[in-house]
Amino acid sequence: MSRALRLARRGLYCTHPNPRVGCVIVADSGKVVGEGFHVRAGEPHAEVHALRAAGERAYGGTAYVSLEPCSHQGRTPPCVDALIAAGIRRVVAAMQDPNPQVAGSGLRRLAAAGIEVDCGLLEAEARALNAGFIKRMEQGLPLVRVKLAMSLDGRTAMQNGQSQWITGAAARAAVQRLRAQSSVVLTGADTVLADHARLTVRPAEMDVNEEQARLAASRPPLRVLLDSRLRVPLSAPFYQAGKALTVCHQASAKVRQSFQAAGHELLAAADASGHIDLFELLRLLAGRGVNEVLVEAGATLSGAFARAGLVDEYQLFVAPKFLGSTARALLDLPLERLGEAHALSILDIRAVGEDFRIIARPL
Amino acid sequence: MSRALRLARRGLYCTHPNPRVGCVIVADSGKVVGEGFHVRAGEPHAEVHALRAAGERAYGGTAYVSLEPCSHQGRTPPCVDALIAAGIRRVVAAMQDPNPQVAGSGLRRLAAAGIEVDCGLLEAEARALNAGFIKRMEQGLPLVRVKLAMSLDGRTAMQNGQSQWITGAAARAAVQRLRAQSSVVLTGADTVLADHARLTVRPAEMDVNEEQARLAASRPPLRVLLDSRLRVPLSAPFYQAGKALTVCHQASAKVRQSFQAAGHELLAAADASGHIDLFELLRLLAGRGVNEVLVEAGATLSGAFARAGLVDEYQLFVAPKFLGSTARALLDLPLERLGEAHALSILDIRAVGEDFRIIARPL
């Protein structure tokens, strides 16, 4: 199963909206006879790749798969049928399908066909690999990851806005990988205007092997810009860098046409108070198959996600320096009493080049 | 030598103003026949303890000592003479005496007596253990460690001052140990007034074994209060908790008498601009044998040390929470341009209970 998960991880940058899944077929002799991973939506599932590689050697063998095999006809035929047809004797899944309406039905169909079935091996690892997909299936919302680059004293830029290259090359490569694994990279107008940010994935800067860079390039995330008053011109590098989805308060037919003509999508969405409703936006994105959203924005928009309780994970890239007490705050998050502090759970701290990265989740 | 250093560390809380030193005597057979560590100034050095334990078995043996043996008559006789008298065949020292005026003379005297001498084994570890003593010997200044407790977003307290228990019990125990290993714990009037802080070492809260707690209790650090305008009354818990040294701008004879009567020391020291000159204060403390100063103060005083470039090491205890953008800054450190940022080198990051600790040095 550990091997199946490692295979699944090879799809980190390309399977969305589908989950990352790996499969290993082990013959009765204990020998691995086939393996595979899901690469891209519309293409064969991991089980199919593994069964093809195994051929007749799959007969009587065990299939280790990091997610319950599907039992429904989607863009590809059900994997359950393929496993039964190949004469697999036993199926071990790391976890059930997270869709509450289908969870367990694939395993039940295998069992009904006389196949020995087990589920739950390395389940925590399997769930972590597809946390966004699982959240979308279970809650109809994508996983929201907020990335921030800060100094050791919690500042993101000087008062005058100076902030370029706070963190080093290794941290920037890690951010590229975070973008590549996301279905959506979401930002705000201030960031795009101030930094001329494009927020694209540049595979050559990801510091991954050729296969991974190629897979990432084949499935770039959708870039979503929150620009209530449409301050960012279509001539900005952000729009020149490829198709984007822009969310604003309102737009005339003429503006809509200009966006359409430039290959972008424009969405007018404001709540009663004239703000963009982040929760509704996330629901809308989930409805489009978005599993993981990376928020790469300034203190205002990142703070809005934090205040609304919509953050699943913070990725804090911390540079070993002090920017001082007049520098800009990490998040626009005004709190009065200690009891209002946002409690977090630290999942990981590790060095990333000269910097370090803290992964934390709100408690 | 590793064992000698481990022994030396047992003196972490009690040898100041002396260095921590450990000694192991190994007989010709390879067997450890004696060991010891320096406990307290005025008491025998590590070599004497080790030679006493070895007795006649020291003859022909090797002495591993974490610091060059002394060759001068101090409050105790020279260790060089004792090693020669015991018939030691070889001496291995981790490092030379850091006092530039005596460095190497002990080793030379041993060599002149026909003893085989080596120096430099595990030197980095030996230097780290006595970094404050070494700095005082080499530069006439103590090592300055600034301890700060902060949230993950670099804040120390809410705007209203609420800050108690930001970090947990394990972090507080670590702070107790930092205090205990310091010659001086230095603070400011705001901290003492706001938190009723005593800044004492409470050995029971150090989370160390009985021996270490007992040794720490036997040699508490001097508490130094910077209180320019003498705002802290002698009735404050800080003064009630034991002898302290207070530094102010100026004091009348009557005020001086009241401090003296209460068992405290009062020092008037202001530069031309009416500020306490921190550099001169540190020089004065070094002159009194202070090796390590722990600054436990608010953003103003800690920031003053940072701005003056007088900090050797930051000990940042980080609680896994966000206190938000209106909370108080880590350091009073107004900087305008990115180029003015204080660059740091991270020495260590590790979990301390629910919190984590970052040890960083200015570059």
Side-chain angles (χ1 to χ4, degrees):
Chain A
M1 187 60 82
S2 177
R3 175 115 193 98
L5 282 165
R6 211 149 61 230
L7 287 162
R9 261 178 222 115
R10 286 170 65 185
L12 186 63
Y13 304 125
C14 47
T15 66
H16 54 105
N18 284 0
R20 297 115 189 178
V21 186
C23 179
V24 174
I25 313 263
V26 179
D28 208 21
S29 65
K31 200 184 159 209
V32 170
V33 293
E35 52 180 42
F37 68 98
H38 182 47
V39 177
R40 222 175 270 106
E43 296 184 10
H45 289 183
E47 298 92 321
V48 173
H49 284 301
L51 287 171
R52 277 183 196 164
E56 291 188 354
R57 292 172 298 172
Y59 190 85
T62 299
Y64 293 88
V65 59
S66 63
L67 183 69
E68 177 182 1
C70 67
S71 57
H72 61 282
Q73 177 73 40
R75 281 190 275 181
T76 57
C79 292
V80 160
D81 295 348
L83 290 162
I84 294 169
I88 288 289
R89 187 183 56 80
R90 181 177 177 226
V91 169
V92 182
M95 61 176 288
Q96 284 196 353
D97 188 313
N99 187 332
Q101 272 145 26
V102 300
S105 65
L107 297 176
R108 279 193 298 275
R109 274 194 49 199
L110 290 168
I115 292 176
E116 190 186 333
V117 167
D118 285 297
C119 185
L121 186 60
L122 296 182
E123 178 160 359
E125 290 80 354
R127 293 188 72 88
L129 185 59
N130 286 308
F133 175 77
I134 294 169
K135 189 181 174 198
R136 176 164 70 86
M137 287 294 138
E138 293 179 346
Q139 302 176 39
L141 286 168
L143 179 130
V144 176
R145 212 175 252 129
V146 171
K147 169 248 149 183
L148 293 158
M150 69 184 218
S151 58
L152 203 43
D153 55 344
R155 309 292 174 151
T156 59
M158 308 310 285
Q159 186 69 55
N160 65 13
Q162 265 191 302
S163 73
Q164 286 288 48
W165 314 122
I166 282 190
T167 48
R172 292 197 297 277
V175 171
Q176 283 288 326
R177 294 193 294 275
L178 279 179
R179 285 183 190 170
Q181 77 169 85
S182 303
S183 307
V184 154
V185 175
L186 188 149
T187 190
D190 287 332
T191 300
V192 167
L193 288 170
D195 304 339
H196 307 294
R198 290 173 297 160
L199 296 155
T200 48
V201 171
R202 296 179 288 278
E205 298 173 27
M206 285 172 66
D207 196 16
V208 293
N209 65 28
E210 273 185 48
E211 179 200 69
Q212 294 295 293
R214 185 172 46 75
L215 291 175
S218 76
R219 193 78 182 78
L222 174 65
R223 295 168 307 131
V224 175
L225 171 61
L226 269 56
D227 185 6
S228 326
R229 287 171 286 142
L230 290 174
R231 289 181 294 145
V232 179
L234 284 170
S235 59
F238 179 84
Y239 285 123
Q240 298 298 311
K243 180 187 183 333
L245 165 63
T246 300
V247 185
C248 67
H249 282 166
Q250 49 188 15
S252 66
K254 194 183 150 200
V255 167
R256 281 171 193 282
Q257 273 167 5
S258 66
F259 270 77
Q260 203 172 7
H264 305 297
E265 190 182 355
L266 189 61
L267 198 74
D271 64 13
S273 64
H275 286 92
I276 292 169
D277 185 321
L278 298 176
F279 182 79
E280 287 305 325
L281 175 61
L282 292 175
R283 288 233 299 200
L284 179 147
L285 292 174
R288 293 182 178 202
V290 168
N291 295 331
E292 300 175 27
V293 171
L294 180 67
V295 177
E296 275 200 77
T300 309
L301 185 52
S302 299
F305 273 96
R307 291 196 305 278
L310 294 173
V311 180
D312 293 295
E313 184 179 296
Y314 290 97
Q315 293 254 351
L316 306 173
F317 292 88
V318 186
K321 55 186 77 165
F322 290 146
L323 295 189
S325 45
T326 47
R328 293 189 184 175
L330 183 64
L331 293 168
D332 182 10
L333 184 65
L335 303 174
E336 276 185 26
R337 292 185 315 279
L338 202 52
E340 300 172 86
H342 287 214
L344 302 160
S345 160
I346 308 278
L347 302 186
D348 192 64
I349 301 182
R350 72 181 62 201
V352 180
E354 298 289 292
D355 310 303
F356 63 99
R357 167 159 68 171
I358 301 173
I359 304 178
R361 274 195 202 139
L363 280 182
Chain B
M1 187 60 80
S2 177
R3 172 115 194 98
L5 283 164
R6 213 151 58 233
L7 287 162
R9 259 177 224 114
R10 286 170 64 185
L12 186 64
Y13 304 124
C14 46
T15 66
H16 54 105
N18 284 359
R20 297 119 188 173
V21 186
C23 179
V24 175
I25 314 265
V26 179
D28 209 22
S29 65
K31 198 184 161 207
V32 170
V33 291
E35 53 181 39
F37 68 99
H38 182 48
V39 176
R40 220 174 272 106
E43 296 184 12
H45 289 184
E47 299 91 323
V48 174
H49 284 301
L51 287 171
R52 277 184 196 164
E56 293 187 355
R57 294 172 299 174
Y59 190 85
T62 299
Y64 292 90
V65 58
S66 63
L67 183 69
E68 177 182 359
C70 67
S71 58
H72 61 280
Q73 177 71 42
R75 280 192 274 183
T76 57
C79 292
V80 161
D81 295 347
L83 290 162
I84 296 169
I88 288 289
R89 188 183 56 79
R90 181 177 178 227
V91 170
V92 182
M95 62 176 287
Q96 284 196 352
D97 188 311
N99 187 333
Q101 274 146 24
V102 300
S105 65
L107 297 176
R108 279 192 299 274
R109 276 195 48 199
L110 291 169
I115 292 176
E116 190 185 335
V117 166
D118 285 297
C119 185
L121 186 60
L122 297 182
E123 178 160 359
E125 289 80 353
R127 293 188 72 86
L129 185 59
N130 286 309
F133 175 77
I134 294 169
K135 190 181 173 200
R136 176 164 70 86
M137 287 295 138
E138 293 179 347
Q139 302 176 39
L141 286 168
L143 180 131
V144 176
R145 212 174 253 131
V146 171
K147 168 249 150 183
L148 293 157
M150 68 184 219
S151 59
L152 202 44
D153 54 347
R155 309 292 175 150
T156 60
M158 307 310 286
Q159 187 67 57
N160 66 13
Q162 264 191 303
S163 73
Q164 287 289 46
W165 314 122
I166 281 189
T167 47
R172 291 196 298 276
V175 171
Q176 283 288 326
R177 294 193 294 274
L178 280 178
R179 286 182 190 171
Q181 78 168 84
S182 304
S183 308
V184 154
V185 175
L186 189 151
T187 190
D190 287 333
T191 301
V192 168
L193 288 171
D195 303 341
H196 307 293
R198 291 173 295 158
L199 296 155
T200 47
V201 170
R202 297 180 286 281
E205 298 173 25
M206 285 172 65
D207 196 14
V208 292
N209 65 30
E210 271 184 50
E211 178 201 68
Q212 293 296 293
R214 185 172 45 74
L215 291 175
S218 75
R219 193 77 182 78
L222 174 65
R223 295 168 308 131
V224 175
L225 172 62
L226 269 56
D227 186 7
S228 326
R229 287 170 284 142
L230 290 174
R231 288 182 293 144
V232 179
L234 284 170
S235 59
F238 178 83
Y239 286 121
Q240 298 299 312
K243 180 186 181 337
L245 165 62
T246 300
V247 185
C248 67
H249 282 166
Q250 49 189 17
S252 65
K254 193 181 150 202
V255 166
R256 281 172 193 281
Q257 274 168 4
S258 66
F259 270 77
Q260 205 173 7
H264 305 298
E265 190 182 355
L266 189 61
L267 198 73
D271 64 12
S273 64
H275 287 91
I276 292 169
D277 186 321
L278 298 176
F279 181 78
E280 287 305 325
L281 174 61
L282 291 175
R283 287 233 298 202
L284 180 145
L285 292 174
R288 294 185 178 199
V290 167
N291 296 330
E292 302 176 27
V293 172
L294 180 67
V295 178
E296 278 201 76
T300 308
L301 185 53
S302 299
F305 274 96
R307 290 195 306 277
L310 294 173
V311 180
D312 293 295
E313 183 179 296
Y314 291 97
Q315 293 255 351
L316 305 172
F317 291 87
V318 186
K321 54 186 78 163
F322 290 147
L323 294 190
S325 45
T326 47
R328 292 188 183 176
L330 183 64
L331 292 169
D332 183 9
L333 184 65
L335 302 174
E336 275 185 28
R337 294 184 315 280
L338 202 50
E340 300 171 86
H342 287 214
L344 302 161
S345 158
I346 307 278
L347 303 187
D348 191 65
I349 302 182
R350 70 181 61 201
V352 180
E354 300 288 293
D355 309 302
F356 62 100
R357 166 158 69 171
I358 300 173
I359 303 179
R361 275 198 201 136
L363 280 182

